[in-house]
Amino acid sequence: VIRRLAFNDDREDGRLCACSLLSARISEINEELTPMEREELVQYNLDRLESSDYQSHKDAIGFFGMLGDSSKIQIIHDNLTHERASIRSAAVKAIGLLEDIGSLQMLIEMLKSDKNQHVRAKIIQALGMLGSPQSVNPLIEVLKENVKVIRRNAVRSLGILGGAEAIAPLSEVAEQDKH
């Protein structure tokens, strides 16, 4: 029913609402869509990026991450410097979902420079998802910070990445957190 509304309804508001619902579930339904339906959803979300409604903008970035197609990675990269932290976070999450290793250096630099702890927490998660050993040292560095979400995410990401050099810093964190 939702697909019929999204792609065949004569009423624009009905189509837009249905496209929004389908976009939120793209990772579940992507295989079921025809190429034309998929392209229509891509266009719908490209249009949402131009919206002054930040939630629509953020949801569109999320769509491109869940789509599983890195052909729109430049759009995601363009949003890494957005003024709103929620949009930067959505772009970082999208990179992690896409496992776009080409974004690794950008994320490491962003981890050093972004002042928002929620964005930085997402960066740390994404670094773990990317799975690169190059992430280990920057993650060890953030273990020294006294922000719970930052440290927790760094511990998780280092656990995913492994690496002998992470053992001693992780042991220190475990000891500190006991006290």
Side-chain angles (χ1 to χ4, degrees):
V1 172
I2 294 173
R3 279 175 72 180
R4 186 170 36 83
L5 281 173
F7 305 116
N8 299 317
D9 197 306
D10 292 337
R11 297 167 304 173
E12 184 174 1
D13 59 336
R15 271 195 337 275
L16 295 178
C17 183
C19 281
S20 180
L21 289 170
L22 290 177
S23 293
R25 296 186 53 227
I26 190 63
S27 58
E28 301 166 33
I29 64 165
N30 198 8
E31 299 298 318
E32 301 168 22
L33 296 174
T34 67
M36 192 170 97
E37 289 171 337
R38 189 172 190 263
E39 188 53 42
E40 195 166 327
L41 280 180
V42 166
Q43 187 56 54
Y44 167 75
N45 282 284
L46 287 171
D47 293 344
R48 289 171 83 189
L49 288 173
E50 303 304 318
S51 171
S52 60
D53 173 25
Y54 291 118
Q55 186 63 46
S56 290
H57 190 109
K58 184 180 109 173
D59 291 347
I61 295 296
F63 167 83
F64 289 114
M66 292 185 298
L67 187 61
D69 174 3
S70 50
S71 68
K72 303 293 187 225
I73 195 68
Q74 188 57 51
I75 291 168
I76 295 167
H77 286 170
D78 291 347
N79 283 277
L80 289 173
T81 57
H82 197 279
E83 64 186 25
R84 293 191 66 105
S86 62
I87 291 178
R88 292 194 310 276
S89 288
V92 167
K93 182 178 179 182
I95 288 170
L97 290 171
L98 290 171
E99 297 178 354
D100 183 63
I101 198 71
S103 302
L104 179 66
Q105 284 309 123
M106 270 186 266
L107 292 181
I108 290 172
E109 289 305 313
M110 199 173 164
L111 179 61
K112 296 174 188 174
S113 63
D114 201 293
K115 302 296 183 220
N116 185 285
Q117 71 181 15
H118 300 292
V119 173
R120 295 181 76 237
K122 284 286 184 210
I123 294 168
I124 292 165
Q125 286 177 330
L127 290 173
M129 294 168 84
L130 294 181
S132 172
Q134 291 177 343
S135 300
V136 172
N137 286 332
L139 291 171
I140 289 171
E141 282 301 308
V142 298
L143 283 175
K144 299 171 186 171
E145 296 182 25
N146 203 20
V147 178
K148 192 173 185 173
V149 68
I150 298 290
R151 287 169 54 114
R152 183 180 62 233
N153 285 1
V155 166
R156 287 180 182 154
S157 288
L158 284 167
I160 291 168
L161 294 170
E165 64 271 31
I167 294 172
L170 286 171
S171 296
E172 282 180 39
V173 168
E175 189 62 35
Q176 289 171 0
D177 287 351
K178 278 186 195 176
H179 304 293

